[in-house]
Amino acid sequence: MALEILRDKDCTTQYLRNKTIGIIGFGAQGKAQAQNLKDSGYQVKIGLKPDSDSIIPAQEMGFEVCDLVSLAKECQMLVFLLPDEWHKEAFLQLSPYLQKDQILCFSHGFSVHFGEIVPPSFVDVILVAPKAAGHAVRSEYQKGRGVISLIGVAQDASGDAKSIALEYACALGSGKSAIFESSFKDECECDLFSEQSVICGGVDALIRAGFETLTEAGYPPEIAYFECLHEMKLVVDLIYANGIQSMRKHISNTAEYGDIIAGEQIITQESKKAMQKILQNIQSGEFAKQFLQERDKGFPTLKTKRDNLKHDEIEQVGERLRGLMPWLQK
């Protein structure tokens, strides 16, 4: 069943107009959402650690910056826009100062859905998840448009949580495109699955496997890099803009025929079974448990894998070739 599309016309409340919104974190999403809210006429403060490198940039953009305790005392809405692994630390600082009728907002459902933080019963807990990177959230707003957002409610203490989530999403600009009602569970589990099986883990592994297959067969690594990594953007951009069918119309007949006969040889029923296992690990909470254990140990596996990747041939070849293409550098 298709989800209902909500837009600006469906937002009939002004719950947040006389409230102060506290943005926790000032990375890509924090910066974009804070600027959009400010330009939409809302009062915004930024909560950061005293030694944060983001304090001066936030102040230069005209925002008042304060510590998390002050943010909890002074703001009626607190928006968690820092990495998932730091939600608990921030929440522990804030929780003693939370007040009745405050609103906790998240743009990813991980910490709430998997119980990393447990909000008190007297606050609203909502989800507003723009489905785009921070720079697009901002640039689309500046163009008079907006990216699509998902909204959801985990706890409705006030009875108005959905309306508040809708108003916040509209303030980001999403009401000019589309807002879909979802849930912390669906947003979180689908997001983790796509990251692991398709857009990060799947694509990453596919690119490296293709590169290694060609180089191990004796082909020059430069050619392997162009064919398996560099040209990925051309195809993904076509799919992103107009879908898979349109992409096939824009590629050569040779490429389209190869797509049809070879794709199912790469992504087999065994591949789907592996995806199903990944999804089961997410749904059961096993992935969240492993990730949080990794965090508590200081991310040793993550750091090792990052260091190892620096020495992979595909990265070394790519660094040299990208140096020959200055138009790629922004």
Side-chain angles (χ1 to χ4, degrees):
M1 183 176 67
L3 295 176
E4 178 187 5
I5 297 176
L6 302 172
R7 293 196 171 95
D8 283 336
K9 64 179 177 58
D10 300 299
C11 180
T12 58
T13 59
Q14 298 288 314
Y15 290 99
L16 301 176
R17 282 296 177 187
N18 297 318
K19 300 183 185 298
T20 302
I21 301 171
I23 302 292
I24 306 171
F26 205 65
Q29 279 291 337
K31 186 182 301 182
Q33 292 193 29
Q35 289 177 295
N36 289 10
L37 290 166
K38 182 180 178 182
D39 289 350
S40 292
Y42 291 86
Q43 298 298 314
V44 180
K45 293 185 179 182
I46 309 298
L48 295 170
K49 293 181 178 180
D51 59 350
S52 173
D53 293 335
S54 297
I55 292 176
I56 292 177
Q59 290 174 333
E60 289 177 342
M61 291 182 183
F63 293 106
E64 179 182 341
V65 178
C66 52
D67 59 50
L68 298 189
V69 171
S70 298
L71 203 74
K73 292 179 177 179
E74 299 169 9
C75 298
Q76 292 73 50
M77 183 177 193
L78 301 170
V79 187
F80 286 70
L81 293 177
L82 64 172
D84 294 324
E85 61 267 27
W86 306 125
H87 281 199
K88 183 178 181 179
E89 179 183 328
F91 179 74
L92 290 176
Q93 294 182 50
L94 296 167
S95 57
Y97 307 96
L98 294 177
Q99 306 155 44
K100 187 177 184 298
D101 295 329
Q102 276 184 311
I103 307 149
L104 303 186
C105 179
F106 300 81
S107 282
H108 183 38
F110 183 94
S111 57
V112 172
H113 178 55
F114 291 115
E116 174 75 348
I117 67 173
V118 181
S121 60
F122 54 79
V123 299
D124 286 341
V125 183
I126 63 173
L127 173 80
V128 180
K131 303 312 294 177
H135 69 85
V137 173
R138 182 58 180 161
S139 64
E140 285 301 294
Y141 179 94
Q142 291 175 309
K143 294 173 183 174
R145 303 187 300 229
V147 304
I148 293 173
S149 283
L150 303 179
I151 62 171
V153 175
Q155 191 164 282
D156 188 5
S158 68
D160 296 316
K162 178 182 173 181
S163 296
I164 294 169
L166 179 59
E167 181 181 345
Y168 186 95
C170 288
L172 296 182
S174 296
K176 292 180 175 60
S177 54
I179 299 166
F180 294 105
E181 185 175 2
S182 182
S183 66
F184 277 71
K185 176 182 183 297
D186 286 2
E187 185 277 334
C188 177
E189 292 179 356
C190 291
D191 187 70
L192 292 176
F193 174 78
S194 72
E195 289 170 351
Q196 295 174 34
S197 297
V198 185
I199 63 174
C200 297
V203 169
D204 177 346
L206 187 65
I207 288 172
R208 287 188 284 118
F211 177 87
E212 291 166 3
T213 299
L214 288 178
T215 56
E216 288 167 3
Y219 295 97
E222 293 83 1
I223 295 177
Y225 177 87
F226 277 115
E227 300 302 337
C228 295
L229 189 153
H230 183 77
E231 292 193 12
M232 176 72 71
K233 183 181 187 311
L234 304 177
V235 175
V236 170
D237 282 351
L238 289 170
I239 295 173
Y240 180 82
N242 293 297
I244 295 173
Q245 185 177 20
S246 178
M247 177 274 290
R248 286 183 171 176
K249 291 180 179 178
H250 284 83
I251 61 178
S252 68
N253 289 336
T254 313
E256 184 181 7
Y257 184 69
D259 173 346
I260 293 169
I261 67 168
E264 292 182 358
Q265 298 178 52
I266 301 298
I267 305 302
T268 64
Q269 286 302 310
E270 291 302 311
S271 303
K272 287 193 66 175
K273 288 179 182 178
M275 288 184 174
Q276 290 164 354
K277 177 62 176 175
I278 289 168
L279 181 57
Q280 290 167 4
N281 284 340
I282 292 169
Q283 292 170 326
S284 69
E286 183 60 29
F287 168 75
K289 178 182 176 182
Q290 292 175 353
F291 174 73
L292 295 173
Q293 288 175 342
E294 172 77 3
R295 175 201 63 186
D296 293 342
K297 295 176 183 177
F299 292 110
T301 303
L302 202 56
K303 291 175 181 176
T304 298
K305 291 294 185 181
R306 287 171 180 168
D307 289 339
N308 290 344
L309 185 58
K310 294 177 184 177
H311 304 293
D312 278 7
E313 185 179 20
I314 190 170
E315 285 295 280
Q316 295 177 345
V317 172
E319 184 176 4
R320 178 162 54 86
L321 292 178
R322 288 190 296 272
L324 301 174
M325 297 178 281
W327 58 90
L328 295 181
Q329 310 304 317
K330 295 184 179 179

